[in-house]
């Protein structure tokens, strides 16, 4: 297959707090260096794009020395934290913005869906915007007409097709924009997280269409999403960005997802506090720590499949809380829930005093097989979320003799064990 996108030593620098490249003195200095055949002096400074730390420089590298290539018909998932540089990369590939240094070679027409309203004129109707987008892609009026009914049917906005798009909801905008981008036959389709605006049914429809255009029509797709299940289902290749750089060069999508998930989930240290956790809820009561214990009540950092364990939670409450419930979910590194334990399943509820509270969950013969699992925690009361922590920690499960049969079964056989018996009848 021929290479349709080639990125070489690509970098993008921004000056913080200003529109443009900075002050007049900076522009004059750039001109003076250029006139003498020297490199832009401001390319020699700047910091990596780490949002969590305070910088010392006015310049930041949103992207730094990016290299990869994409062949015709490939579906590449680009993943990373917020601020990793994903959207900047797509904007450069879409020629919405120019790189500071490096080269991008693109072979073929590009249709991009980077944010709600991209490429649409708000005063024009949906019908007029379809023809406008087609003309921008270099299609004839007759070619657009032949695709028009299919576009409108896919988008589901037929009733409003002659209404100015400025009156569309964000969901309607995305529906029509994706339908246009997918059906007007570009060689390369670039889709950012914008699909998250649509409902679940439409997201599924879009993923199916992207798979169809890549597999059956041989077109190239670049897909950015925080939905790892969608990336795994759609993409054959993955690229992981962090702080503007590549931490996993283009390769197997499953391995890329695993590396990304590991990079964002704290490792279990037996007694984990959640001071800097990614959490939501009213936090009238909140989870403070989690501790894994073996059958001897000793703290453990890994779990053996089939062993008896308990999990102890420390919860602080600002006021007295009645009817609280606690849940813990074990998720694979690609985001699928493998085990969910919730006190409400057993009609067990807790009353918390104002101050420190402790809750313990006993698990007989831990059922999950060998692997690494992300832990999600949720604390509720009267159907109201008090505290919800996603990807709180990463816990490792070792292989074990679950059935006491002398066989150590590993995860390539199954995800979970269950008690059962065999008899001849």
């Amino acid at each position: 297959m021929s290479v349709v996108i080639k990125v070489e030593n690509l970098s993008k620098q921004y000056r913080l707090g200003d529109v443009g490249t900075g002050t007049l003195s900076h522009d004059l200095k750039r001109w003076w260096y250029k006139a003498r055949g020297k490199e832009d002096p401001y390319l020699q400074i700047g910091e990596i794009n780490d949002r969590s730390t305070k910088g010392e420089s006015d310049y930041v590298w949103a992207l730094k020395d990016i290299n990869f290539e994409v062949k015709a018909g490939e579906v590449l998932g680009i993943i990373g934290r917020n601020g990793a540089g994903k959207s900047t990369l797509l904007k450069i590939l879409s020629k919405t913005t120019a790189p500071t240094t490096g080269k991008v070679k693109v072979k073929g027409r590009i249709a991009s869906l980077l944010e709600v309203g991209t490429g649409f004129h708000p005063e024009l109707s949906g019908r007029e915007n379809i023809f406008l987008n087609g003309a921008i892609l270099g299609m004839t009026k007759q070619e657009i007409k032949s695709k028009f009914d299919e576009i409108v049917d896919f988008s589901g906005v037929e009733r409003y097709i002659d209404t100015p798009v400025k009156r569309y909801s964000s969901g309607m905008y995305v529906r029509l924009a994706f339908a246009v981008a997918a059906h007007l036959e570009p060689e390369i389709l670039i889709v950012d997280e914008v699909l998250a605006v649509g409902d679940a049914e439409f997201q599924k429809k879009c993923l199916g269409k992207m798979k169809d255009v890549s597999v059956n029509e041989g077109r190239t797709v670049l897909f950015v999403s925080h939905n790892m299940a969608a990336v795994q289902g759609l993409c054959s290749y993955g690229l992981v960005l962090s702080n503007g750089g590549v931490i996993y060069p283009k390769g197997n999508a499953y391995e890329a997802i695993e590396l990304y998930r590991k990079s964002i989930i704290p490792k279990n240290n037996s007694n984990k506090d959640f001071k800097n956790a990614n959490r939501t809820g009213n936090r009238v009561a909140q989870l403070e720590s989690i501790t894994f214990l073996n059958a001897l009540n000793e703290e453990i950092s890994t779990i053996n499949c089939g062993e008896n364990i308990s999990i102890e939670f420390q919860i602080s409450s600002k006021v007295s809380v009645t009817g609280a419930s606690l849940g813990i979910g074990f998720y694979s590194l690609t985001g699928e829930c493998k085990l969910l334990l919730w006190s409400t399943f057993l009609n067990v509820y807790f009353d918390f005093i104002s101050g420190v509270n402790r809750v313990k969950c006993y698990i007989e013969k831990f059922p999950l097989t060998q692997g690494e699992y992300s832990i999600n925690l949720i604390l509720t009361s009267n159907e109201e979320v008090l505290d919800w922590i996603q990807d709180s920690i990463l816990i490792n499960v070792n292989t074990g003799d679950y059935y006491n049969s002398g066989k150590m079964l590993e995860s390539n056989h199954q995800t979970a064990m269950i008690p059962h018996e065999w008899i001849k009848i």
Side-chain angles (χ1 to χ4, degrees):
M1 291 185 290
S2 62
V3 175
V4 294
I5 298 176
K6 189 169 185 178
V7 175
E8 298 177 316
N9 303 317
L10 183 70
S11 298
K12 180 65 177 179
Q13 187 187 71
Y14 290 106
R15 187 170 192 265
L16 301 179
D18 286 276
V19 176
T21 56
T23 64
L24 178 60
S25 64
H26 284 195
D27 289 340
L28 287 172
K29 191 172 183 179
R30 281 191 172 93
W31 173 83
W32 178 239
Y33 270 67
K34 185 177 181 180
R36 292 185 296 159
K38 294 187 176 183
E39 184 184 11
D40 185 335
Y42 296 104
L43 297 185
Q44 301 170 21
I45 62 175
E47 299 172 330
I48 63 169
N49 188 25
D50 186 354
R51 297 174 302 138
S52 62
T53 60
K54 180 175 175 59
E56 300 297 330
S57 172
D58 289 337
Y59 290 88
V60 64
W61 290 100
L63 294 172
K64 187 69 173 174
D65 297 327
I66 307 296
N67 293 275
F68 68 92
E69 61 182 37
V70 185
K71 295 180 180 178
E74 291 183 347
V75 183
L76 175 65
I78 302 174
I79 56 181
R81 294 172 180 253
N82 290 330
K86 306 184 298 298
S87 295
T88 301
L89 175 59
L90 295 192
K91 286 177 181 178
I92 292 174
L93 295 176
S94 302
K95 300 182 180 178
T96 304
T97 188
T100 304
T101 62
K103 295 180 180 179
V104 176
K105 298 176 183 178
V106 178
K107 184 180 179 181
R109 295 180 300 187
I110 293 178
S112 57
L113 194 57
L114 304 182
E115 58 187 46
V116 176
T118 300
F120 276 13
H121 193 295
E123 299 296 335
L124 299 181
S125 68
R127 182 187 301 273
E128 291 165 334
N129 271 297
I130 291 174
F131 281 92
L132 175 63
N133 272 258
I136 291 171
L137 285 171
M139 299 180 70
T140 66
K141 189 174 182 179
Q142 195 58 42
E143 286 175 320
I144 301 168
K145 276 184 176 180
S146 68
K147 294 284 184 180
F148 183 83
D149 290 341
E150 193 177 348
I151 291 170
V152 175
D153 180 63
F154 187 92
S155 68
V157 298
E158 182 176 4
R159 186 173 184 179
Y160 308 97
I161 198 63
D162 291 309
T163 300
V165 296
K166 68 180 181 180
R167 297 195 176 99
Y168 284 17
S169 68
S170 58
M172 291 167 63
Y173 235 126
V174 169
R175 280 175 169 271
L176 185 59
F178 181 84
V180 170
H183 288 84
L184 291 185
E185 299 184 350
E187 283 78 21
I188 302 166
L189 180 61
I190 297 178
V191 183
D192 204 343
E193 189 66 53
V194 67
L195 287 184
V197 176
D199 56 41
E201 180 186 357
F202 186 69
Q203 288 182 38
K204 185 177 180 181
K205 194 175 179 180
C206 291
L207 292 172
K209 181 63 179 175
M210 284 191 281
K211 201 158 194 172
D212 181 60
V213 300
S214 65
V215 175
N216 298 326
E217 301 175 27
R219 286 188 264 166
T220 305
V221 179
L222 270 61
F223 182 54
V224 166
S225 179
H226 289 106
N227 183 340
M228 293 301 105
V231 173
Q232 185 180 354
L234 176 67
C235 304
S236 48
Y237 299 94
L239 178 77
V240 185
L241 299 179
S242 178
N243 297 332
V246 175
I247 60 172
Y248 181 82
K250 179 193 161 192
N252 180 275
Y254 186 87
E255 292 177 1
I257 293 168
E258 279 202 334
L259 184 145
Y260 165 66
R261 295 275 293 174
K262 286 181 181 179
S263 72
I264 65 173
I265 306 169
K267 288 280 187 180
N268 178 34
N269 61 355
S270 297
N271 192 331
K272 167 66 186 175
D273 67 73
F274 304 120
K275 290 179 181 178
N276 300 314
N278 174 25
R279 65 207 313 165
T280 55
N282 63 25
R283 297 174 71 176
V284 170
Q286 68 176 35
L287 292 144
E288 298 293 347
S289 67
I290 182 173
T291 306
F292 291 84
L293 305 164
N294 62 17
L296 301 176
N297 214 37
E298 300 168 332
E299 290 188 16
I300 54 175
S301 57
T302 61
I303 303 171
N304 296 320
C305 177
E307 76 170 321
N308 298 335
I309 69 164
S310 59
I311 308 172
E312 186 175 298
F313 307 89
Q314 181 172 301
I315 299 157
S316 65
S317 185
K318 297 176 182 177
V319 297
S320 296
V321 175
T322 59
S325 62
L326 182 60
I328 178 169
F330 293 79
Y331 286 73
S332 71
L333 291 184
T334 51
E336 301 102 348
C337 184
K338 298 300 183 182
L339 177 65
L340 178 61
L341 306 172
W342 205 343
S343 65
T344 53
F345 294 163
L346 302 176
N347 292 318
V348 175
Y349 299 90
F350 307 99
D351 294 336
F352 296 145
I353 62 170
S354 176
V356 177
N357 301 265
R358 285 185 170 82
V359 171
K360 213 169 199 179
C361 174
Y362 293 93
I363 305 174
E364 186 176 348
K365 293 185 73 67
F366 188 80
L368 294 182
T369 55
Q370 180 183 15
E372 290 181 295
Y373 298 88
S374 167
I375 305 295
N376 283 13
L377 301 169
I378 187 166
L379 181 64
T380 65
S381 176
N382 299 317
E383 299 184 354
E384 187 174 9
V385 176
L386 306 180
D387 198 14
W388 182 17
I389 307 177
Q390 298 185 63
D391 295 329
S392 61
I393 58 170
L394 193 67
I395 184 76
N396 188 67
V397 177
N398 300 322
T399 186
D401 184 7
Y402 182 91
Y403 297 112
N404 295 319
S405 63
K407 293 184 178 180
M408 307 285 277
L409 298 180
E410 298 183 357
S411 56
N412 60 339
H413 290 87
Q414 62 281 306
T415 299
M417 309 293 194
I418 59 169
H420 65 284
E421 62 178 317
W422 295 83
I423 59 172
K424 183 178 180 182
I425 57 173

